[in-house]
Each structure stands twice: as structure tokens, then as C-alpha cells.
Amino acid sequence: MNTEADTRAAVEPPGRAAGDSRPPTGVGGDSSAARSTVDDSRFFARLDLNLLRVLVAIARFRSVTEAGRHLSLSQPATSNALARLREAFGDPLFVRAPGALAPTPLAARLAPIVARHLEELEAALGERAAFDPASSTTEWRLSLSDLGEIVFLSAIVEAVRSDAPHTRVTNASVPVERVADALAHREIDLAVGIIDTKQRGLRCTVLFRERYVALSRRDCPRAWRTRRGFTDAPLAVASPTATYHGEIAERIERLGRHSGIVVRARHFSTMPDLVARGELVAIVPEMFALMACERHGLAMWPIPVPTPRYDVCMVWHGALDTDAAQQWLRERVLRAFVRAEAR
């Protein structure tokens, strides 16, 4: 039960002097003042969800003190919220009655409607949409570079469609400088590659660490595999537009190998054929070299000069952290890379 002070604080409308004997506005029926206030286009700008929660709690407990305790609010804060509600609705909303507060007709009509909608809103905000891969017809939009498409796409498609056979996979191949924007605007679901993950809102998982290796025919001169002999090897490099891999030629040139680069290609896909047809050494990522050796009978060996390692990452936007379908997709992509590394 309210204390007398709590009850007085709860029921005195703003600007009403203590002891004023005039009947409170709205008692006995919806007042014209309340109706005109609600019709005012500025009415909803004066409300927020917390005020409506106070309205529902006072209607439930018939006490400002108990409503505040339920909402973890102090009695003065709850009284202040009630004062704001009265001002917004132009109605006392709750008046003194024996042993409790009594709702005015307006409050009695509004409280159950507001309570129902608040419950629906809380349920909607707390609910995670279920995802059924077996029945889903989702189109997954990824971003892989040309090299990523060659090396990763088939493994990703296998991992995804084995459990989600009605889904589709599209490689949108967004330029690396646009990846963050494309993720933020939901143009793509995730990206795989060498990507700046420090940009705002992005999340990242490192899939594996990669390095460059040399790719050649099995019968290439053995001297090429030594640091001194490597300087005589005719090199082939790929320089895809706007990717980290385009820097490998610059790195080799800084090592004094400019004269040794005899072929500069746009795409890695040409490298195995170039190596197989002539006495060349291609500088390529290790995972691509493994694939080329298996398919074309070539040889792979460590580059006898320092070259950097780099992280290949899966990147997505933080807004999709808890989305069930996106979580499933990321788990399948991660599984595809675990399998690939195990081979």
C-alpha cells in the first residue's frame, strides 16, 4: 500500500496546488482536453517507451511505489514519469481511492492496449528468427577475389549446399576498398580475403595464415631453389587490380629482382599453364600452389628470399552477429576452410 506521501505525489497533476478541491480533469470520462491532446500531431513526440511502461505498471499495481519497485525506479522518478504522462494525455490517469489508486476511464482503456503492444514488442525484439537450411531458398552473396574464387569457392559451395540444397551462392567480387560499405548496406553477406578489418562495424575471423611460394616444373634447374641461383630464375607474377597480391611484384623488385620478372599477368589462373609450358618460376600463394601441383603435376618449393605471411579472413558486419541464418553461413564457411587445411 502507498504511503500518504507517495500517493499525494502520484495523484497531484502538474500545476495543481495541494488541497485544491476542484475535480481532476478526466475523472468520470475521457475529457475533451485529453482527446484534443492525443489528436495533436506533437503528442507522440512527448512520449517514450519508458513512460508507457510506467503507465502499465501503475495500472497493474495501483501504486506508484510498487510500480517503481517493479521497474527498478525510485518513487520520485516514477512520480515524475506519471506527471509527464498526465501532461502528455491531458488527463490525471490515476486518482486516489480507498487503499489504492484508481484509473480514470482513459487509463482503464489505454493500459491493457499498451500492455499488449509492449509485450508483443519485447517478444519481437527478443526473438531470433529460426533458420532451416533444408528448406531455405536464400541467395548467399559473398565477395571473393579472382584468386579466392579459384581456391575457395568450390569448397564453400560444397559446405553450404550439402545441408542447404535449395540455396544459391553468388560471388559479387566487390572491390576491396568497397567491402566495408557493401557489408554495411547488405549488398553482400560476408567477404573472404585480405581485408582491412579495423573499419568501424566489421567483425573478423582469421581463417588461416598464408605465404607465397615458388611454383615450377618438376625438372626446373635445382640451382633456382637456392638463394644465389634464384636470382637467375625467370619469374612470373600476377598483379590483380586493387588487391594485396598485386604488391608481390613490388616486393620482389625491392629485393633487386626486377630484371628477373619476365611475365606479369593479371590473374593467377594463367600461372600453372605458363609454368607448365616454359621454364618459368611463378610466385603464388601456397594454397593455390597446392591446387596447381595436384592438377597440373607441378612442383612447389619455398622462396629462398624473405617474403611476408598474411592473414586470410572472413569478414562480416556486426549488425549480423546474432542473425541465425548468417551464423549458420559463417559456420559453414569456417568448416570449409578447416577441411581444406586438413587435406
Side-chain angles (χ1 to χ4, degrees):
M1 181 180 295
N2 284 352
T3 64
E4 182 178 351
D6 287 348
T7 302
R8 181 175 298 280
V11 299
E12 295 294 351
R16 182 179 170 86
D20 191 338
S21 61
R22 288 176 295 172
T25 304
V27 176
D30 291 358
S31 68
S32 59
R35 288 193 294 273
S36 63
T37 299
V38 174
D39 290 339
D40 188 335
S41 61
R42 296 168 296 177
F43 170 72
F44 288 103
R46 295 196 292 270
L47 289 179
D48 62 41
L49 288 179
N50 288 325
L51 289 180
L52 295 178
R53 292 175 68 236
V54 170
L55 173 68
V56 170
I58 295 177
R60 175 184 175 186
F61 294 102
R62 303 299 174 91
S63 162
V64 171
T65 302
E66 290 303 314
R69 185 175 293 118
H70 174 70
L71 297 173
S72 299
L73 295 174
S74 66
Q75 192 274 337
T78 311
S79 295
N80 180 63
L82 177 56
R84 291 174 61 193
L85 284 165
R86 285 168 165 164
E87 181 181 1
F89 284 100
D91 186 271
L93 297 176
F94 299 95
V95 297
R96 279 173 286 188
L101 297 178
T104 66
L106 179 62
R109 179 170 60 84
L110 288 179
I113 297 173
V114 172
R116 183 173 68 251
H117 285 293
L118 285 176
E119 289 174 1
E120 292 175 354
L121 179 59
E122 289 175 1
L125 293 176
E127 181 182 80
R128 293 187 182 181
F131 176 70
D132 178 16
S135 62
S136 175
T137 58
T138 301
E139 178 187 10
W140 308 111
R141 292 184 59 81
L142 315 180
S143 181
L144 308 171
S145 65
D146 290 343
L147 176 63
E149 184 170 284
I150 295 169
V151 179
F152 310 140
L153 186 59
S154 59
I156 292 173
V157 169
E158 179 183 4
V160 168
R161 284 182 48 82
S162 61
D163 292 325
H166 306 295
T167 61
R168 294 162 291 157
V169 179
T170 296
N171 178 24
S173 195
V174 176
V176 67
E177 69 273 9
R178 279 207 65 248
V179 164
D181 185 63
L183 288 168
H185 289 87
R186 297 298 305 276
E187 296 173 27
I188 55 175
D189 297 301
L190 59 82
V192 174
I194 308 165
I195 301 166
D196 177 11
T197 58
K198 297 182 180 64
Q199 300 183 64
R200 184 177 180 180
L202 297 189
R203 304 285 189 270
C204 167
T205 292
V206 176
L207 297 172
F208 62 95
R209 286 186 61 77
E210 180 64 294
R211 62 172 182 166
Y212 284 101
V213 296
L215 182 68
S216 70
R217 291 191 343 198
R218 292 179 178 177
D219 61 352
C220 79
R222 294 190 63 83
W224 289 357
R225 303 190 184 199
T226 66
R227 186 179 184 90
R228 177 175 295 182
F230 186 70
T231 60
D232 297 322
L235 303 184
V237 297
S239 301
T241 303
T243 71
Y244 175 90
H245 298 289
E247 299 178 11
I248 188 60
E250 297 176 9
R251 292 176 180 271
I252 291 175
E253 287 171 355
R254 287 199 293 270
L255 291 169
R257 293 295 306 133
H258 181 275
S259 61
I261 299 176
V262 299
V263 177
R264 296 172 184 267
R266 287 288 302 279
H267 304 290
F268 283 97
S269 58
T270 61
M271 290 296 165
D273 194 51
L274 284 170
V275 169
R277 289 173 176 266
E279 291 193 346
L280 294 173
V281 176
I283 307 302
V284 298
E286 184 174 18
M287 188 170 282
F288 178 79
L290 289 168
M291 180 183 295
C293 290
E294 180 180 338
R295 295 180 181 178
H296 300 277
L298 301 174
M300 176 186 81
W301 36 278
I303 299 173
V305 294
T307 54
R309 286 182 175 269
Y310 55 91
D311 291 335
V312 175
C313 302
M314 174 172 63
V315 183
W316 66 96
H317 198 274
L320 300 178
D321 274 347
T322 60
D323 183 273
Q326 295 293 322
Q327 288 178 333
W328 182 90
L329 174 63
R330 294 194 295 269
E331 188 275 331
R332 286 305 184 276
V333 172
L334 185 59
R335 179 187 297 182
F337 281 90
V338 170
R339 287 177 178 172
E341 284 201 297
R343 288 172 184 170

